Amino acid sequence: CLDENTGIPRWEFQTGGPILHTAAIDGANIYFGSQDGNLYAVQTSNGQLAWKYKTGKGIQNAPCIVSNTVYIGSSDGYMYAFDAVSGSLKWRYDSGYPILTSAACGNNTIYFGNEGIYAHALQDNGTSASVKWKKRLAGQSMSEYWPVVSQSQNIVFFRTQPYGGFHNVLGDGDNILAQGSDTKDATSIAAEQQRIITYLNGAGAIWKTFWALDTNTGNERYTAPILYTAGEGTTPVPPVIDDTNNKAWVVWRTRYKTFGFPQSVRPWVDF
């Protein structure tokens, strides 16, 4: 913990393993997981331990706090809910696969993914959780990133890592984008987007990495014209939502060009 004005350390707290993700904070405590398997609540003012809870395996995602409840998933496959003040366990839900994805929370619902590539929506019933829905997505991992909820549109967005190798996925996508005009006018853009949608709903379905699901049912609301964008096998980033103005922003690729050697992939940015 550093003084925000001077950068001078105020306190430090040692866990038994690496801390691989972001913390959550409320007025009293800061909450974070560690690869030692513990969820920690540390007093914000002085760095003293308020409470901790040992899960079955390491934690490598961020907690979220809603209405005095802390939610976090663990590599042991469980999603946990704790009382933020006392640290007492309210419930845990066995998802069946490691949870490496941070959750999104709201309206007594917790959205998260696991390494079975299942998107989940859990209903918090106070002392237990029930499954609103779960949906199998395509891909080989949901690690490191998180779902994002648009409350105004009742949509939750998930990102996944595709099955194939980085350059194979990019190559297939580039073949789709290379069709048609390169004028980059509105007509050309619309045609390009439709080619991507058709591809992702057909032969390219296994490469889909962007999912817009109904928050109530888990059904897919639409296919976005978004091809795989991240390099070196990492999971693509989730979108940023502005519910007030009914907009969302996400980065994706149009075409790519290589410079010098195949490992250097650059976006086509004059667009």
PDB file of all heavy atoms in Angstrom, residues 2 7 11 13 26 31 37 60 77 96 113 168 173 200 209 213 233:
ATOM      1  N   LEU A   2       0.686   2.122  -1.007  1.00  0.00           N
ATOM      2  CA  LEU A   2       1.504   3.315  -1.148  1.00  0.00           C
ATOM      3  C   LEU A   2       0.653   4.562  -0.922  1.00  0.00           C
ATOM      4  O   LEU A   2      -0.527   4.592  -1.243  1.00  0.00           O
ATOM      5  CB  LEU A   2       2.122   3.394  -2.549  1.00  0.00           C
ATOM      6  CG  LEU A   2       2.886   2.173  -3.038  1.00  0.00           C
ATOM      7  CD1 LEU A   2       3.426   2.422  -4.445  1.00  0.00           C
ATOM      8  CD2 LEU A   2       4.010   1.798  -2.091  1.00  0.00           C
ATOM      9  N   GLY A   7       3.925   8.332  -2.936  1.00  0.00           N
ATOM     10  CA  GLY A   7       4.474   7.041  -3.340  1.00  0.00           C
ATOM     11  C   GLY A   7       5.210   6.313  -2.234  1.00  0.00           C
ATOM     12  O   GLY A   7       5.753   5.226  -2.451  1.00  0.00           O
ATOM     13  N   TRP A  11       2.317   0.290   4.146  1.00  0.00           N
ATOM     14  CA  TRP A  11       2.408  -1.042   4.722  1.00  0.00           C
ATOM     15  C   TRP A  11       2.545  -2.060   3.607  1.00  0.00           C
ATOM     16  O   TRP A  11       2.329  -1.748   2.429  1.00  0.00           O
ATOM     17  CB  TRP A  11       1.214  -1.367   5.619  1.00  0.00           C
ATOM     18  CG  TRP A  11      -0.159  -1.176   5.030  1.00  0.00           C
ATOM     19  CD1 TRP A  11      -1.000  -0.111   5.208  1.00  0.00           C
ATOM     20  CD2 TRP A  11      -0.862  -2.088   4.155  1.00  0.00           C
ATOM     21  NE1 TRP A  11      -2.176  -0.281   4.517  1.00  0.00           N
ATOM     22  CE2 TRP A  11      -2.124  -1.498   3.867  1.00  0.00           C
ATOM     23  CE3 TRP A  11      -0.572  -3.321   3.606  1.00  0.00           C
ATOM     24  CZ2 TRP A  11      -3.076  -2.101   3.033  1.00  0.00           C
ATOM     25  CZ3 TRP A  11      -1.512  -3.945   2.783  1.00  0.00           C
ATOM     26  CH2 TRP A  11      -2.742  -3.327   2.515  1.00  0.00           C
ATOM     27  N   PHE A  13       1.926  -6.556   2.923  1.00  0.00           N
ATOM     28  CA  PHE A  13       1.339  -7.780   3.481  1.00  0.00           C
ATOM     29  C   PHE A  13       1.850  -8.959   2.674  1.00  0.00           C
ATOM     30  O   PHE A  13       1.744  -8.970   1.443  1.00  0.00           O
ATOM     31  CB  PHE A  13      -0.193  -7.720   3.421  1.00  0.00           C
ATOM     32  CG  PHE A  13      -0.878  -8.918   4.035  1.00  0.00           C
ATOM     33  CD1 PHE A  13      -1.184  -8.935   5.381  1.00  0.00           C
ATOM     34  CD2 PHE A  13      -1.198 -10.024   3.260  1.00  0.00           C
ATOM     35  CE1 PHE A  13      -1.816 -10.029   5.956  1.00  0.00           C
ATOM     36  CE2 PHE A  13      -1.821 -11.133   3.814  1.00  0.00           C
ATOM     37  CZ  PHE A  13      -2.128 -11.135   5.180  1.00  0.00           C
ATOM     38  N   ASP A  26     -13.420  -2.136  -0.289  1.00  0.00           N
ATOM     39  CA  ASP A  26     -14.557  -1.384   0.217  1.00  0.00           C
ATOM     40  C   ASP A  26     -14.029  -0.415   1.270  1.00  0.00           C
ATOM     41  O   ASP A  26     -12.829  -0.177   1.359  1.00  0.00           O
ATOM     42  CB  ASP A  26     -15.659  -2.304   0.749  1.00  0.00           C
ATOM     43  CG  ASP A  26     -15.201  -3.186   1.912  1.00  0.00           C
ATOM     44  OD1 ASP A  26     -14.134  -2.897   2.512  1.00  0.00           O
ATOM     45  OD2 ASP A  26     -15.902  -4.168   2.226  1.00  0.00           O
ATOM     46  N   TYR A  31      -9.580  -6.892  -0.643  1.00  0.00           N
ATOM     47  CA  TYR A  31      -9.777  -8.335  -0.797  1.00  0.00           C
ATOM     48  C   TYR A  31      -9.016  -8.809  -2.033  1.00  0.00           C
ATOM     49  O   TYR A  31      -9.102  -8.184  -3.099  1.00  0.00           O
ATOM     50  CB  TYR A  31     -11.261  -8.661  -0.962  1.00  0.00           C
ATOM     51  CG  TYR A  31     -12.139  -8.083   0.118  1.00  0.00           C
ATOM     52  CD1 TYR A  31     -12.674  -6.804  -0.010  1.00  0.00           C
ATOM     53  CD2 TYR A  31     -12.431  -8.811   1.267  1.00  0.00           C
ATOM     54  CE1 TYR A  31     -13.475  -6.264   0.987  1.00  0.00           C
ATOM     55  CE2 TYR A  31     -13.238  -8.282   2.267  1.00  0.00           C
ATOM     56  CZ  TYR A  31     -13.755  -7.006   2.122  1.00  0.00           C
ATOM     57  OH  TYR A  31     -14.547  -6.472   3.122  1.00  0.00           O
ATOM     58  N   GLY A  37      -3.878 -20.322  -2.380  1.00  0.00           N
ATOM     59  CA  GLY A  37      -5.236 -20.835  -2.222  1.00  0.00           C
ATOM     60  C   GLY A  37      -6.122 -20.006  -1.329  1.00  0.00           C
ATOM     61  O   GLY A  37      -7.315 -20.301  -1.216  1.00  0.00           O
ATOM     62  N   GLN A  60      -6.411 -17.224  -9.013  1.00  0.00           N
ATOM     63  CA  GLN A  60      -5.736 -16.337  -9.947  1.00  0.00           C
ATOM     64  C   GLN A  60      -6.715 -15.439 -10.692  1.00  0.00           C
ATOM     65  O   GLN A  60      -6.530 -15.124 -11.859  1.00  0.00           O
ATOM     66  CB  GLN A  60      -4.873 -17.136 -10.931  1.00  0.00           C
ATOM     67  CG  GLN A  60      -5.584 -18.143 -11.787  1.00  0.00           C
ATOM     68  CD  GLN A  60      -4.599 -18.902 -12.660  1.00  0.00           C
ATOM     69  OE1 GLN A  60      -3.794 -19.687 -12.169  1.00  0.00           O
ATOM     70  NE2 GLN A  60      -4.638 -18.645 -13.961  1.00  0.00           N
ATOM     71  N   GLY A  77     -12.346 -25.167  -8.792  1.00  0.00           N
ATOM     72  CA  GLY A  77     -13.610 -25.280  -9.512  1.00  0.00           C
ATOM     73  C   GLY A  77     -14.801 -24.679  -8.814  1.00  0.00           C
ATOM     74  O   GLY A  77     -15.896 -24.642  -9.385  1.00  0.00           O
ATOM     75  N   GLY A  96     -17.301 -27.631 -11.558  1.00  0.00           N
ATOM     76  CA  GLY A  96     -16.795 -28.819 -12.218  1.00  0.00           C
ATOM     77  C   GLY A  96     -15.451 -28.668 -12.887  1.00  0.00           C
ATOM     78  O   GLY A  96     -14.809 -29.673 -13.223  1.00  0.00           O
ATOM     79  N   GLY A 113     -16.918 -17.724 -16.060  1.00  0.00           N
ATOM     80  CA  GLY A 113     -16.615 -18.858 -16.917  1.00  0.00           C
ATOM     81  C   GLY A 113     -15.628 -19.787 -16.245  1.00  0.00           C
ATOM     82  O   GLY A 113     -14.926 -19.395 -15.308  1.00  0.00           O
ATOM     83  N   ASN A 168      -2.727 -19.783 -37.636  1.00  0.00           N
ATOM     84  CA  ASN A 168      -3.792 -20.440 -38.393  1.00  0.00           C
ATOM     85  C   ASN A 168      -5.094 -19.667 -38.274  1.00  0.00           C
ATOM     86  O   ASN A 168      -5.815 -19.476 -39.258  1.00  0.00           O
ATOM     87  CB  ASN A 168      -3.997 -21.864 -37.884  1.00  0.00           C
ATOM     88  CG  ASN A 168      -2.850 -22.786 -38.247  1.00  0.00           C
ATOM     89  OD1 ASN A 168      -2.139 -22.534 -39.200  1.00  0.00           O
ATOM     90  ND2 ASN A 168      -2.665 -23.842 -37.479  1.00  0.00           N
ATOM     91  N   GLY A 173      -8.952 -15.960 -40.894  1.00  0.00           N
ATOM     92  CA  GLY A 173      -9.682 -14.702 -40.845  1.00  0.00           C
ATOM     93  C   GLY A 173      -9.276 -13.744 -41.942  1.00  0.00           C
ATOM     94  O   GLY A 173     -10.105 -13.041 -42.527  1.00  0.00           O
ATOM     95  N   LEU A 200     -18.442 -16.882 -39.095  1.00  0.00           N
ATOM     96  CA  LEU A 200     -18.489 -17.315 -37.699  1.00  0.00           C
ATOM     97  C   LEU A 200     -19.720 -18.154 -37.391  1.00  0.00           C
ATOM     98  O   LEU A 200     -19.717 -18.920 -36.424  1.00  0.00           O
ATOM     99  CB  LEU A 200     -18.439 -16.100 -36.772  1.00  0.00           C
ATOM    100  CG  LEU A 200     -17.115 -15.332 -36.752  1.00  0.00           C
ATOM    101  CD1 LEU A 200     -17.229 -14.077 -35.894  1.00  0.00           C
ATOM    102  CD2 LEU A 200     -15.981 -16.209 -36.249  1.00  0.00           C
ATOM    103  N   THR A 209     -14.778 -16.067 -30.696  1.00  0.00           N
ATOM    104  CA  THR A 209     -14.205 -15.689 -29.397  1.00  0.00           C
ATOM    105  C   THR A 209     -15.018 -14.625 -28.672  1.00  0.00           C
ATOM    106  O   THR A 209     -14.690 -14.288 -27.542  1.00  0.00           O
ATOM    107  CB  THR A 209     -12.769 -15.149 -29.566  1.00  0.00           C
ATOM    108  OG1 THR A 209     -12.805 -13.910 -30.299  1.00  0.00           O
ATOM    109  CG2 THR A 209     -11.881 -16.145 -30.283  1.00  0.00           C
ATOM    110  N   LEU A 213     -24.506 -12.904 -24.727  1.00  0.00           N
ATOM    111  CA  LEU A 213     -25.520 -13.828 -24.214  1.00  0.00           C
ATOM    112  C   LEU A 213     -26.605 -13.068 -23.448  1.00  0.00           C
ATOM    113  O   LEU A 213     -26.329 -12.078 -22.764  1.00  0.00           O
ATOM    114  CB  LEU A 213     -24.872 -14.864 -23.282  1.00  0.00           C
ATOM    115  CG  LEU A 213     -23.687 -15.647 -23.840  1.00  0.00           C
ATOM    116  CD1 LEU A 213     -23.200 -16.661 -22.805  1.00  0.00           C
ATOM    117  CD2 LEU A 213     -24.042 -16.336 -25.150  1.00  0.00           C
ATOM    118  N   GLY A 233      -1.328 -16.342 -28.316  1.00  0.00           N
ATOM    119  CA  GLY A 233      -2.193 -17.301 -27.648  1.00  0.00           C
ATOM    120  C   GLY A 233      -2.935 -16.773 -26.440  1.00  0.00           C
ATOM    121  O   GLY A 233      -3.546 -17.538 -25.709  1.00  0.00           O
TER     122      GLY A 233
END
